[in-house]
Amino acid sequence: MEAAVAPRVKTIKSIDIYMICVFLYAIVQSEISIQYPTVKTIIMTTLFSLSFLAVLMEVLKKVKIKKVAISIWIGMFLIISYLVLKDGWDDGFYLMIPFSFVTHRYNQKEVLRRYCLSMFCGIFLIIFLCKIGILQNIVYHDILTGETREYLGFNWTTFGPNMLFGAIMAFIVIKDKNIKAWELLTLFAINYWFKLKTNTTAVYLTVNLALILDLIGKSNTVRSIILKNRVVQKLATHIFSIVCAFTIIFQLFYNSHPNLSIMKEANLASNYRLGLNALAFSNYRITIFGQKIVFNQNGRNYFFLDSSYIYILFTGGIIALVSICWLLNKVSEQAITSENYFLLVALFVLALHSVTDPQLVDIRNNPFIMLIVPSIISLRNTLNVS
């Protein structure tokens, strides 16, 4: 008589808790945090508690952790603590550390798959709650451009599109060359729908660019030519620093020649971002450690720094900006080393999009922060082997 086989019970991993945390962090970007502040408090308390639980689960495994990883997390903690306590950054940035700790041993695609699923679920849940009237859909009349933009249940008209940006970038890396035509068409359609509702042009253009580059990359020959090109390799290993430097240099040129017709056109095309950035250069100093800046996102005295590079330069300082670019450059370098064309595309588009939007260090919109530690470990291992 054969012995009965006990059914396999799926155990919950720490990375599964990370997935839940991403979902919770996504939905507090909605009107929930304004209409239902008690619910927001409960969600954030649950989020921090779950992140602590996930860290505890990893610690109890007693897996040896690389010294370089510990050094990076300590550095992150010190920089984030300064930015939160001194410069007024959101304390949600602390989540970067437990999230990174929990995910660093897992495969890149496994991490991005969970992020992608959580983010898409969060986005569509917010829109659904908005459509059935639980969350209000604020219609915003942009004073600067005269355009009408919908919030779709999110805290701000650009929040939904930027969350979509992160989800699609992760999806591109997960699917790589196996992405299907109907999937690409669906993503193009969703992106276009968001553009119609929110009029967020920067996200619309960069997502379309990523999807086009993804489509081109389905050819093995094209991927090989691009990845083997020495110029591409050099640029890719410093892509965030290069785009950051270009952004600042172009901004300085605008500051000196704002009345040139071409600069006026550029300011208009950027939705007046260049003019707002110029105000920061006029009213604040560039410092080593940054400073606290009070922004105004309501009324006629609107003032915010949408560019990730300019925002970090003024509010985080030179050290924070250099550190962030260097760390993300390492992810791009690892993409070149592993010949991962699709990760390279996502990082390239992220670097470009960060010129106009402030999500470079936002773990809701930039899942590639989670790849920093494993990328640096992988590069060090490759160097030691060679």
Side-chain angles (χ1 to χ4, degrees):
M1 184 176 178
E2 294 184 5
V5 178
R8 294 178 65 183
V9 179
K10 181 176 173 59
T11 57
I12 297 178
K13 304 177 188 177
S14 57
I15 196 172
D16 296 320
I17 297 178
Y18 160 74
M19 181 171 69
I20 297 170
C21 288
V22 170
F23 172 76
L24 293 175
Y25 205 30
I27 61 177
V28 293
Q29 281 281 74
S30 72
E31 285 292 307
I32 285 175
S33 61
I34 297 173
Q35 292 179 240
Y36 311 102
T38 303
V39 175
K40 178 192 176 182
T41 301
I42 294 171
I43 291 174
M44 291 304 295
T45 302
T46 304
L47 174 57
F48 275 93
S49 300
L50 286 175
S51 63
F52 175 79
L53 174 61
V55 169
L56 183 61
M57 290 172 66
E58 285 296 306
V59 170
L60 292 176
K61 291 178 183 177
K62 297 181 180 179
V63 177
K64 186 177 180 180
I65 301 172
K66 300 276 187 181
K67 290 181 180 178
V68 63
I70 296 173
S71 300
I72 293 170
W73 291 321
I74 291 174
M76 281 184 174
F77 177 78
L78 293 175
I79 292 175
I80 291 172
S81 294
Y82 187 90
L83 295 175
V84 171
L85 300 176
K86 182 72 167 56
D87 296 340
W89 284 34
D90 181 18
D91 58 10
F93 281 100
Y94 278 117
L95 289 169
M96 192 182 299
I97 301 167
F99 284 7
S100 176
F101 178 80
V102 167
T103 60
H104 84 280
R105 290 192 308 104
Y106 289 91
N107 177 272
Q108 285 184 349
K109 286 191 176 181
E110 201 171 351
V111 175
L112 293 176
R113 184 175 292 108
R114 282 167 169 78
Y115 166 87
C116 186
L117 178 61
S118 295
M119 193 55 63
F120 272 124
C121 287
I123 291 168
F124 292 128
L125 175 63
I126 292 168
I127 294 172
F128 174 74
L129 294 177
C130 176
K131 292 298 182 183
I132 63 175
I134 294 177
L135 298 180
Q136 57 184 328
N137 181 22
I138 298 173
V139 179
Y140 168 67
H141 183 72
D142 195 319
I143 296 172
L144 293 176
T145 64
E147 298 163 340
T148 298
R149 311 170 73 179
E150 296 183 39
Y151 281 41
L152 299 175
F154 296 90
N155 279 354
W156 184 250
T157 184
T158 62
F159 285 4
N162 276 316
M163 288 164 64
L164 178 72
F165 174 88
I168 291 179
M169 293 306 105
F171 188 80
I172 284 173
V173 180
I174 295 165
K175 298 295 291 188
D176 54 58
K177 65 180 180 180
N178 299 313
I179 193 166
K180 296 178 174 60
W182 72 266
E183 292 172 327
L184 279 170
L185 289 173
T186 301
L187 293 176
F188 272 117
I190 293 172
N191 188 36
Y192 181 66
W193 182 83
F194 266 95
K195 169 65 170 64
L196 289 178
K197 294 292 184 179
T198 67
N199 203 21
T200 309
T201 305
V203 175
Y204 177 69
L205 293 176
T206 49
V207 166
N208 282 346
L209 173 62
L211 294 175
I212 291 168
L213 291 174
D214 184 58
L215 183 61
I216 293 171
K218 287 177 71 68
S219 165
N220 292 334
T221 303
V222 171
R223 290 203 310 276
S224 178
I225 291 172
I226 292 174
L227 291 171
K228 300 296 184 184
N229 186 283
R230 288 183 177 273
V231 176
V232 171
Q233 292 174 351
K234 287 291 184 182
L235 291 175
T237 54
H238 303 287
I239 186 63
F240 288 93
S241 298
I242 292 170
V243 177
C244 174
F246 175 81
T247 302
I248 295 171
I249 291 169
F250 187 83
Q251 182 64 52
L252 291 173
F253 183 80
Y254 172 87
N255 295 350
S256 301
H257 306 87
N259 294 320
L260 288 179
S261 58
I262 191 172
M263 289 294 102
K264 289 181 179 179
E265 290 296 325
N267 189 34
L268 181 62
S270 71
N271 199 20
Y272 300 96
R273 287 179 174 90
L274 289 171
L276 293 171
N277 292 343
L279 289 176
F281 278 89
S282 298
N283 299 325
Y284 300 95
R285 294 183 300 112
I286 296 174
T287 64
I288 297 294
F289 298 108
Q291 62 215 290
K292 185 173 183 178
I293 297 178
V294 178
F295 295 107
N296 177 28
Q297 293 179 268
N298 297 298
R300 292 189 173 276
N301 295 321
Y302 179 92
F303 175 60
F304 190 75
L305 301 176
D306 284 294
S307 170
S308 293
Y309 305 111
I310 303 297
Y311 180 90
I312 297 168
L313 178 63
F314 280 99
T315 66
I318 295 172
I319 289 179
L321 182 59
V322 170
S323 299
I324 290 162
C325 288
W326 183 82
L327 290 170
L328 288 171
N329 282 341
K330 289 299 177 184
V331 183
S332 186
E333 183 180 347
Q334 196 274 330
I336 282 289
T337 303
S338 60
E339 298 187 349
N340 190 335
Y341 169 86
F342 300 96
L343 176 57
L344 193 63
V345 164
L347 293 168
F348 169 67
V349 175
L350 171 65
L352 291 182
H353 186 47
S354 297
V355 174
T356 59
D357 280 281
Q359 78 282 344
L360 193 62
V361 289
D362 189 339
I363 54 178
R364 270 181 293 237
N365 304 326
N366 179 9
F368 305 108
I369 292 173
M370 298 305 104
L371 306 186
I372 288 173
V373 171
S375 293
I376 291 176
I377 292 174
S378 175
L379 289 169
R380 287 172 65 92
N381 290 340
T382 302
L383 186 63
N384 291 336
V385 169
S386 60

